[in-house]
Structures are given as structure tokens and as C-alpha cells.
Amino acid sequence: MPTAERQAKIRIVLVNTAHPGNIGGAARAMKNMGLAELYLVQPREYPAPRAVWRAAGARDVLSNVKVVSSVDEAIAGCGLVVGTSARERRIPWPLIDPRECGTRIWQESESHDVALLFGREDRGLTNEELQKCHYHVHIPSNPDYSSLNLATAVQVLCYEIRMASLADAEGNLPSLQEWDQPPVAADDLEYFHEHLAQTMADLNFFDPENPKQLLTRMRRLFNRVRMDQMEVSILRGLLSSVQRMINK
Ligand code: SAH
């Protein structure tokens, strides 16, 4: 697949960005690294002149921006979702470093859409948003001052994607193993989790004290497994049978 088509499969998603200058800065960082698919989830101030100034020669990235109302909408159709985090979280999640992140995103863009999520300037991504991710990536910054400016973080991670694409062009990046089924897309995975939660509720399987913890663990389990479309439709069929039995 030509490089430009691969690049078009890589979405950079900025969630609830407060400062339009960061949106422009991210657009510029992306274009410098050969990327152009920018998604904005409920930006607080956009469109804005400050975004255009900061984008400089990357105005075309801004004019191609998709403004959407939820993270789910931004990642719909993606087979790989990676979330960025400026610090460690309460519940451990599969963690990759920026280099592995670049490699993985580039490798997977050969066969499906991928998304890289960036959080709010003041408080990053919510736990709920981070739980939609297969992997978390942390730029190993100074632990005493770990949070990078948003557009700077976009720059670092897009640079790593660029390095992976250059390694690939030189034949130095292994292709992924072939698989007979495409990976489940983020929106279908979300429907699966809703179905699973509903079935567990029907079964009274929840710990009434702490239902969230169970659902979080289920998300982590299934994100780790990287199910394909066929596996998910089998499991959904199974859940439907269970529901039919209970509701008889
Ligand atoms: N106080 C917030 C900081 C958010 S910084 C928090 O603790 O979560 C804004 C965004 O920039 C983050 O959500 C993330 O997308 C990105 N970012 C900043 N520093 C980063 C780092 N060291 N590694 C990965 N992403 C980082």
C-alpha cells in the first residue's frame, strides 16, 4: 500500500482541547511528520484564529479536521486504539513506550485504521477514555515534571511513527503476522461490552458494591486479547443465547 494511504489510516485524536493554539501546534507537528487525519472531540474553542496562526503551513490539516462529539465517534472503525498518559494510572494497563507505539501504529496501519488519543491540558484522558484503549503510551519524561505540552507530546509520538515508516521503507520493519479475520472495530467492541454488561446484569452477576471494577477488568481482558470480528460475533451470539435462557 502506498505510504500516503497508510498515513491516511492514522488518526490523531485530541479530546476536549482547551487552547486552540495547541490544536494548531498539533496540526503542524502532524504535517511535519507526514500525517493529516486530525480529529477533535468537543474542542472548547474551535475554529479559532489562534489555531490557524500556530498551524503555520499546516492549514490544510486544519481544513481537513473532523470535529466530533465523542471519543467513540472519533475511534469508530479503528482496529487499534492507543491512549497517551502523562502519569501512571490506578489500574495497570498494557503499556508501551513511544518507540513501540510508533512501530505498532505503523505496522497495523497496513491493514486497518488506528487512533492515538491525547487528553485535556489540565487533566489528561478520563479513566473511561483510557479503558477504551488497547495500550497506553507514556513518554518517559522527568518524573518530577512529567507532563509535556499537548502539541509537544503529539510531536514526539508522531516522530516515532515517522521513524517506523522510514525503517519500513528501508525494509527494516517486520510485517505483522497474517490473520484470516480483521480485528474487531472499536464501535463493535463497544457494543460487545454493552451486551456483556447487560447480560451480567440480567444474571445478577454484578458485585452490587462495585460493578465498575468488574466491567473495567472485562475491558482490560478483552483489549489484551485483541479479538477479531468473527470471535466477537461468536461471543455476542453466545450472550444472546444466555439472555434468551434467563428471560424465558
Ligand atoms: N495533568 C494532566 C496532564 C495532561 S497533559 C495529567 O496528569 O494527565 C495533556 C496531554 O498531553 C496528555 O493527556 C497526553 O495526551 C499528552 N502528554 C503530556 N505529557 C505526556 C507524557 N509524558 N507522555 C504521554 N503523553 C503526554
Side-chain angles (χ1 to χ4, degrees):
M1 191 189 293
T3 301
E5 271 176 48
R6 291 276 289 271
Q7 289 167 335
K9 294 174 104 66
I10 301 172
R11 303 180 194 174
I12 300 297
V13 180
L14 308 186
V15 181
N16 262 186
T17 307
H19 302 293
N22 281 334
I23 297 174
R28 180 175 187 174
M30 287 170 62
K31 185 169 179 182
N32 282 143
M33 298 298 121
L35 299 178
E37 295 302 313
L38 179 58
Y39 284 66
L40 305 178
V41 179
Q42 296 192 11
R44 278 183 240 170
E45 191 189 329
Y46 190 83
R50 268 181 299 160
V52 180
W53 301 334
R54 278 283 299 279
R59 290 178 188 192
D60 50 334
V61 176
L62 286 186
S63 36
N64 177 44
V65 146
K66 280 100 185 159
V67 178
V68 297
S69 57
S70 67
V71 168
D72 283 331
E73 213 180 309
I75 65 178
C78 289
L80 171 69
V81 181
V82 181
T84 53
S85 171
R87 58 199 157 108
E88 301 298 319
R89 297 281 156 170
R90 249 176 307 151
I91 159 162
W93 213 262
L95 196 65
I96 50 179
D97 65 29
R99 198 136 303 164
E100 285 173 81
C101 175
T103 302
R104 196 159 260 292
I105 284 183
W106 186 255
Q107 284 172 324
E108 295 205 23
S109 71
E110 188 174 0
S111 54
H112 47 265
D113 285 1
V114 304
L116 183 56
L117 306 185
F118 292 85
R120 300 152 187 84
E121 289 93 333
D122 54 347
R123 51 192 191 89
L125 294 165
T126 63
N127 284 339
E128 196 193 328
E129 288 158 355
L130 283 165
Q131 285 167 18
K132 295 182 188 294
C133 301
H134 297 103
Y135 300 97
H136 293 166
V137 57
H138 171 71
I139 299 163
S141 42
N142 177 358
D144 297 330
Y145 188 58
S146 66
S147 174
L148 279 73
N149 163 264
L150 173 59
T152 309
V154 171
Q155 183 73 78
V156 170
L157 293 173
C158 290
Y159 168 76
E160 291 294 347
I161 297 171
R162 178 80 177 164
M163 292 304 281
S165 79
L166 295 176
D168 192 21
E170 288 169 3
N172 291 330
L173 201 71
S175 287
L176 286 182
Q177 191 199 338
E178 277 199 30
W179 204 251
D180 55 347
Q181 289 286 323
V184 63
D187 33 341
D188 289 331
L189 187 61
E190 197 57 38
Y191 295 136
F192 165 74
H193 279 293
E194 283 166 21
H195 198 169
L196 179 63
Q198 187 55 54
T199 311
M200 291 197 293
D202 294 352
L203 283 167
N204 290 321
F205 187 73
F206 284 111
D207 171 4
E209 298 288 298
N210 199 353
K212 273 242 153 121
Q213 185 73 351
L214 172 66
L215 297 182
T216 297
R217 288 188 184 280
M218 289 297 106
R219 280 186 184 270
R220 188 170 67 171
L221 164 64
F222 287 110
N223 277 335
R224 235 171 43 231
V225 173
R226 303 289 312 271
M227 296 185 290
D228 66 36
Q229 284 176 7
M230 179 66 78
E231 290 160 345
V232 171
S233 59
I234 293 169
L235 285 177
R236 289 206 57 184
L238 176 70
L239 292 173
S240 297
S241 302
V242 171
Q243 286 183 309
R244 272 196 300 276
M245 287 292 271
I246 318 166
N247 300 326
K248 233 188 214 161

